Amino acid sequence: MGRFVLSRVAHAAVTIWIAFTLAFIVLRVVPGDPVQIQLSRSGADNVVLDPEQVRALRADLGLDESVLAQYRDYAFGLLHGDPGFSIRSNENVGAVVAEALPATLELAGVALAIGLPVGVLLAVLATLVRQRWIGGFLKTAPVVVISIPTFLIGLLLIHFVAFEWRLLPGIGGRGPGAVVLPAVTLAVPVAAVVGQILGRSLEATSRQPFVRTLRAKGIGEVRIMFGHLLRNAGLPALTMTGMLIGSLVSGSVVVETVFSRHGMGKLIADAIVDKDTPVVLAVTVLGSALIVTVNLVIDLLYHYLDPRIRWSSGATRSPATVRGDYALT
């Protein structure tokens, strides 16, 4: 198991490095000069500036160095825990990220806490319900919901729940109820994806011979579901949950914009527009580290949920191999 963990950590480090490099390249390729963007933002776009002042500003921002030198400085800075200063606000990037991170973690956590149970409930009900039309509806609903854009869900919730019915605040991030509508907006696609994946897995697992044996012994459907089916059918949904955590981070860009919340999503969106390289790179590395950490934890959980997995060498089966088996069923 130790060798497996070390291998996964090495892969995680490579993944983070690739994400960092791609983000840096994209920011260099996208047209626009950070200095000119900041000058236009400050109202100095119609003012003729001394070229020496512009060069001094570029030197202060480290933009007068070569591309490789800038890449090296950003990389070594992040490795040593010094992400630098924001081009837009001239604040320490660590402080900027620390200010925005709690709001996004709260949003993603509440969305996951809502979406996962609802998705599991949809899958369980679709499998247990005997009425064919109800089961068909429960199986079809997630497919329909997945096709609805997230921003449209948010706008509908704002219109009806916030403006028409005045039940919850719709705009801004203040107050305990302000997180509910944004979290529900993110939770809807989470519940739909989990419900669809888990529902298909439950349906396939329910046709296995061991389930017929349990039924022949007179064990009830509810006991079979919660005692046997969920554990055997839950691995694909567990894998998908790890991927959904990454989508929650990216989905927060749209949701925080729609609901005017100040979080990581809005921070990264503004940083990309302003070509604020230190902020973009720091958020990219942080998001990549979060995703690979979650996937590592999920791979470790596979060891306890599926006895076929072994971490030693030889005739072994890795979590990725077992996940492939379930994907083919």
Side-chain angles (χ1 to χ4, degrees):
M1 182 175 178
R3 183 181 300 178
F4 168 79
V5 173
L6 289 176
S7 173
R8 294 293 291 169
V9 170
H11 291 158
V14 172
T15 301
I16 294 173
W17 171 72
I18 292 175
F20 169 85
T21 303
L22 289 177
F24 180 84
I25 293 173
V26 169
L27 286 175
R28 298 294 305 185
V29 172
V30 172
D33 182 8
V35 173
Q36 295 298 330
I37 292 174
Q38 297 310 310
L39 291 176
S40 64
R41 184 177 296 278
S42 62
D45 52 336
N46 296 323
V47 178
V48 178
L49 296 177
D50 186 353
E52 290 297 329
Q53 293 178 321
V54 176
R55 280 195 290 270
L57 179 57
R58 294 184 65 85
D60 289 339
L61 297 175
L63 299 177
D64 59 335
E65 299 180 338
S66 66
V67 175
L68 291 179
Q70 293 180 46
Y71 178 86
R72 177 202 62 204
D73 292 341
Y74 287 132
F76 277 100
L78 288 172
L79 283 175
H80 290 86
D82 181 17
F85 291 84
S86 168
I87 296 176
R88 180 182 185 183
S89 63
N90 201 31
E91 297 179 73
N92 184 276
V93 174
V96 173
V97 172
E99 181 183 357
L101 184 59
T104 299
L105 290 179
E106 178 189 34
L107 176 60
V110 176
L112 203 61
I114 295 173
L116 280 180
V118 172
V120 172
L121 181 62
L122 284 174
V124 170
L125 290 178
T127 306
L128 290 178
V129 169
R130 294 304 180 187
Q131 287 80 1
R132 181 173 298 180
W133 68 273
I134 297 179
F137 171 78
L138 293 174
K139 293 177 182 178
T140 306
V143 181
V144 176
V145 172
I146 291 173
S147 64
I148 302 176
T150 304
F151 74 89
L152 180 58
I153 298 174
L155 292 175
L156 290 174
L157 289 175
I158 292 175
H159 177 75
F160 289 103
V161 180
F163 293 160
E164 292 290 336
W165 304 332
R166 300 182 182 276
L167 297 177
L168 292 167
I171 303 298
R174 296 182 179 179
V179 73
V180 176
L181 292 186
V184 170
T185 303
L186 278 178
V188 168
V190 171
V193 171
V194 172
Q196 183 183 27
I197 299 298
L198 182 58
R200 289 180 177 177
S201 184
L202 285 173
E203 184 178 0
T205 307
S206 65
R207 295 194 293 265
Q208 297 296 319
F210 80 91
V211 177
R212 291 196 293 268
T213 301
L214 292 172
R215 288 171 179 158
K217 292 181 178 180
I219 300 176
E221 292 295 328
V222 175
R223 184 178 173 186
I224 292 176
M225 171 63 70
F226 292 98
H228 302 274
L229 279 181
L230 276 178
R231 178 169 181 175
N232 285 274
L235 295 182
L238 181 62
T239 303
M240 184 57 63
T241 300
M243 300 173 63
L244 287 174
I245 292 177
S247 70
L248 287 176
V249 176
S250 60
S252 66
V253 176
V254 176
V255 172
E256 289 176 355
T257 301
V258 171
F259 289 90
S260 299
R261 288 176 58 88
H262 178 67
M264 296 291 287
K266 191 174 187 304
L267 176 65
I268 189 65
D270 293 340
I272 291 174
V273 172
D274 293 336
K275 295 196 70 174
D276 196 344
T277 304
V279 173
V280 174
L281 295 180
V283 174
T284 300
V285 169
L286 181 62
S288 301
L290 173 64
I291 293 173
V292 297
T293 300
V294 169
N295 280 285
L296 175 60
V297 172
I298 288 177
D299 280 344
L300 294 176
L301 286 176
Y302 267 61
H303 173 69
Y304 299 100
L305 295 178
D306 195 323
R308 297 178 299 171
I309 298 175
R310 296 293 181 270
W311 308 113
S312 58
S313 59
T316 62
R317 312 194 68 203
S318 68
T321 303
V322 176
R323 277 184 287 189
D325 292 346
Y326 280 97
L328 295 173
T329 57

